[in-house]
Amino acid sequence: MPGLPAGGLPASLRCDPDLTLRAGTSRRRFLTWSALVGGLAFTPGLLDGATPSAPAAAASTGVFALGVASGDPLPDGLVLWTRLSRNPFAPAGGMGSAVVAVEWEIGPDETMARVLRRGVAHATPEWGHSVHVDVRGLAPGTDYFYRFRALGEISAIGRARTAPAPGAHVSTMSIAVASCQNWADGYYHAFADMAAHAPDLVLHLGDYIYEKPVPKHGGARRGASLPISATREAADLDDYRERYALYKSDPDLQLAHAMAPFVITFDDHEVDNNWAADVPEDDTSRAAFAVRRAQALRAWWENTPVRTVARPDGTVVRAQRRLAFGDLAEINLLDTRSHRSDQVNGDNDTGQNARTADPSRTILGRAQERWLLDGLAASRHRWDVIAQQVPMADLARSAGSTRAVSMDGWSGYEESRRRVLDGAAERGVRNLVSLAGDIHRSVVSDLRTRYTDESPTRGVELAVTSVTSGGDGEDSDEGDRRLKAASPHVRFGNSQRGYLLNRIHADRWEAEFRVAPAVQSPRGSLHRRALITIPDATAEVDVV
C-alpha cells in the first residue's frame, strides 16, 4: 500500500484532533483512524490512487468497485455489506447469473494480521449480487475492522463499531447526520470531512439517490461517463441499481462508509418525489406505481447495510427500527413515507387549515405511531432521539399575508405531531431531540405542539442541510430570511451545504453544523458554522 503524501493527510481530510479528543476519543484511536483514512484514500480498488476529493470516475473497475460498508450496530453485532460488480452499468452489474461465494473477515485492527471471525456469504443475481452479513457474538462498544474476498480479489478494509452493552454507562458518543446528496449538484466534500472525524455512527436520513434524470452538466462537472439510464427518470429495477452504482462510485462516499457504521433510511427520491404510501407524484396508476415502488425499495435494500428484516417483500418494508447506546441515547428511526396519508392542499406550501388539522390523517400510520410512543414510554435513556426524513417543527415562511408551511412535513399533519409530542411529554421523556433532513438547509427550532398559541416546548429539532442538493448555498438566502421572519421558534438557520456532527454527553448535547463554502468545485473543505448546545433536562439551546 503506498504511503501518505508529504505533509500527511490531504487538507480536505484533516480535522482538529482536539475536537475529536474532547468527544471522548483516545489519542491512540484517533491516530489509528487517521491512518485508516490515509490508507483507504490510496488503496487500489477503492479510489484507484485518487485523493478523496477526486471525481467519481477515479473509482476502481474491480469486483469491489462499489466499496464496503457496515451498519445497524447492536451491542453484539453488525451488518457488513458489499455488492459485487465487474461493470456497474452493465446488465446484472456484469456479474452474469452465477452465485458467487464471498468470504468475509473481521479483525481487531486495520492490519487484518489477526482474524477474529470469518465466514462465507453468497452473492446472488436475484439480489443484485449484494452481500449482507449479520455478524453476531461480538463484544459491545468495540472497534472492528473487516474486508471481503471474492473471485481472486480483496476489498478495501472498513472500520465498524458495535453499540455499548445495554444499560452500560456511556459518557459520550458522536453521531454524524447526513441527508440529500444529489450527485449532479456537487462533490461530496461533506463525506470526506465526516470520515476524517471518524464518528461512532452515521445517520443517513434519506435522498441517498435522486430518481430524476441527471443533467448533462452534472456528469460533465464530475468528469464521469454516465449510464444511459441516467438520462431518464429511474423507473425499473435496472435503472435504480445503476443510479446507486453511479452514486456509490464516489470516493468520498466510499470513504465515509468504510470509516463508520451507517444507519440508513429512505425518503422520497429513492422512489419518486413526494410519494405517499401507494400514491405517486403524478397521475400514474396505483398498480403501476406499486411495481415501481417495489423495484425501487428492492434496489435500496441491495445497496445499503441494513438487516434482512428490512428487506422488502414487494412494497411491504419495515424500515423503522430502534437502536440503543448504553444508558446515553436511544434512536427511533422512522419511516415517514410508507404509511402516510396523501398530502393535502395540492401538496403546495400553503397556510394550515381544516385539512391539515384533520385527526384522521397520519404521517406515520397508526401502528408505527404506537410503536414510537411505546418505545418512548419504555426508554430509560438520557436522550431520546427521533430520527426522520422530514422536519417535525412548524417551519413556516411568510408568503404575503399567509404563513405558509410545507404539506410534505409534519406541518401538513398537525394532529400526528400533537399526538407524538404530547404523548412524549405524558410518558415523561426527559430530553427529546428530533433529527431531520429533506429541506436543504440547517435549522434549529423548538418542538411545540402548536405554534399559534403558547404551547410548551417539548424538545429541540436539529434539521440537517443537504450534502449537495441545491448546489452551492449561502449563509442566509431568501428562504432562510422568510423562514426566520415567520417562525420565531427557529433558533438558528443557515443555507450552505454540509452535515451535522453531534457529540452527545450525559449533561449536554453538542451539535456542530459543518458547512462548505461551495460544493461545485472538485476541491473543497468544511468549517464549523455553529455549535448548538442543549443542556440536560431542558429544551433550551445555546448558539455559538
Side-chain angles (χ1 to χ4, degrees):
M1 181 183 296
L4 289 172
L9 289 173
S12 62
L13 288 182
R14 296 185 192 128
C15 65
D16 176 1
D18 292 334
L19 291 178
T20 307
L21 294 174
R22 281 198 296 271
T25 301
S26 72
R27 181 71 179 170
R28 181 182 179 278
R29 282 174 60 192
F30 172 71
L31 293 174
T32 297
W33 296 342
S34 296
L36 180 60
V37 171
L40 286 169
F42 294 91
T43 299
L46 179 63
L47 305 185
D48 201 23
T51 60
S53 54
S60 166
T61 57
V63 294
F64 296 108
L66 301 180
V68 300
S70 67
D72 284 4
L74 299 176
D76 70 336
L78 292 156
V79 176
L80 307 182
W81 173 95
T82 192
R83 180 182 160 206
L84 304 183
S85 173
R86 290 197 181 281
N87 181 351
F89 305 139
M95 296 300 299
S97 59
V99 175
V100 180
V102 181
E103 300 175 55
W104 57 269
E105 298 176 330
I106 292 180
D109 58 55
E110 68 274 18
T111 68
M112 298 300 293
R114 184 162 66 97
V115 175
L116 301 175
R117 298 284 299 276
R118 57 162 46 96
V120 177
H122 292 89
T124 68
E126 178 187 9
W127 294 100
H129 287 97
S130 63
V131 174
H132 297 71
V133 182
D134 192 348
V135 184
R136 298 299 177 98
L138 302 176
T142 301
D143 290 331
Y144 289 97
F145 296 81
Y146 63 94
R147 66 183 176 189
F148 299 91
R149 300 172 186 263
L151 301 174
E153 299 186 37
I154 304 176
S155 76
I157 297 170
R159 165 196 168 249
R161 182 171 177 80
T162 52
H169 176 64
V170 179
S171 60
T172 186
M173 69 175 296
S174 58
I175 300 177
V177 184
S179 176
C180 304
Q181 54 191 54
N182 193 326
W183 182 88
D185 280 359
Y187 290 89
Y188 291 165
H189 305 315
F191 285 118
D193 187 87
M194 187 185 297
H197 282 83
D200 296 317
L201 185 74
V202 177
L203 278 173
H204 198 294
L205 299 180
D207 292 348
Y208 192 99
I209 64 165
Y210 278 69
E211 85 289 10
K212 300 300 184 186
V214 177
K216 290 183 178 179
H217 71 266
R221 180 189 300 121
R222 288 265 198 154
S225 299
L226 301 178
I228 296 299
S229 63
T231 64
R232 60 178 180 267
E233 183 160 337
D236 61 26
L237 182 58
D238 286 340
D239 289 351
Y240 286 108
R241 282 174 171 170
E242 291 179 6
R243 200 63 56 89
Y244 278 100
L246 178 64
Y247 280 56
K248 283 183 168 292
S249 67
D250 184 274
D252 290 341
L253 179 57
Q254 290 190 7
L255 191 63
H257 271 298
M259 183 54 70
F262 272 56
V263 174
I264 302 180
T265 188
F266 52 80
D267 192 17
D268 55 338
H269 289 291
E270 287 88 348
V271 180
D272 181 36
N273 181 53
N274 281 17
W275 63 281
D278 62 348
V279 181
E281 178 186 29
D282 57 22
D283 57 1
T284 301
S285 72
R286 296 198 180 189
F289 181 61
V291 173
R292 179 185 181 185
R293 181 158 56 108
Q295 293 176 330
L297 292 174
R298 185 187 190 96
W300 169 79
W301 185 83
E302 291 175 352
N303 286 279
T304 51
V306 296
R307 288 191 164 80
T308 303
V309 69
R311 185 170 66 191
D313 180 6
T315 60
V316 178
V317 60
R318 183 177 175 81
Q320 73 269 22
R321 49 208 192 271
R322 188 173 289 122
L323 296 99
F325 299 87
D327 65 351
L328 186 63
E330 185 168 69
I331 298 173
N332 300 275
L333 184 64
L334 305 183
D335 175 358
T336 60
R337 284 290 157 197
S338 301
H339 313 289
R340 67 160 65 197
S341 307
D342 192 14
Q343 297 93 340
V344 295
N345 298 325
D347 197 13
N348 297 312
D349 287 8
T350 63
Q352 290 157 322
N353 54 26
R355 302 182 74 188
T356 62
D358 183 348
S360 69
R361 298 179 64 254
T362 173
I363 195 171
L364 296 180
R366 296 294 181 173
Q368 186 179 193
E369 190 174 294
R370 286 194 301 272
W371 170 86
L372 172 59
L373 290 174
D374 288 348
L376 293 175
S379 174
R380 298 296 178 267
H381 298 83
R382 179 76 54 152
W383 300 92
D384 288 295
V385 182
I386 299 177
Q388 55 190 310
Q389 297 84 347
V390 295
M392 179 176 271
D394 203 64
L395 303 182
R397 292 186 179 89
S398 54
S401 59
T402 301
R403 186 178 182 275
V405 299
S406 168
M407 295 297 106
D408 192 55
W410 287 73
S411 294
Y413 302 81
E414 294 182 81
E415 284 300 291
S416 276
R417 179 170 58 205
R418 183 195 61 76
R419 289 191 296 266
V420 168
L421 292 182
D422 285 353
E426 291 163 3
R427 287 157 177 79
V429 172
R430 174 185 180 126
N431 292 306
L432 185 66
V433 175
S434 168
L435 300 173
D438 183 64
I439 57 173
H440 304 178
R441 60 185 66 248
S442 303
V443 181
V444 178
S445 52
D446 298 340
L447 282 176
R448 299 181 186 175
T449 301
R450 301 189 187 281
Y451 293 83
T452 55
D453 55 25
E454 296 302 319
S455 296
T457 299
R458 302 300 196 192
V460 176
E461 181 161 79
L462 306 169
V464 64
T465 187
S466 61
V467 172
T468 56
S469 300
D472 292 343
E474 54 186 299
D475 190 69
S476 179
D477 61 8
E478 179 62 23
D480 177 64
R481 291 186 286 273
R482 290 173 55 204
L483 175 68
K484 291 171 180 174
S487 308
H489 51 282
V490 168
R491 306 305 181 192
F492 169 76
N494 171 270
S495 306
Q496 294 170 296
R497 309 295 163 234
Y499 73 103
L500 175 62
L501 182 59
N502 301 281
R503 299 178 182 90
I504 308 170
H505 309 268
D507 65 342
R508 68 195 186 283
W509 180 301
E510 294 177 340
E512 180 180 352
F513 288 89
R514 295 189 61 78
V515 300
V519 294
Q520 295 183 347
S521 167
R523 303 286 173 178
S525 61
L526 278 74
H527 65 274
R528 175 193 287 182
R529 173 56 184 84
L531 180 65
I532 310 298
T533 302
I534 309 168
D536 174 38
T538 172
E540 298 178 358
V541 300
D542 178 50
V543 182
V544 177

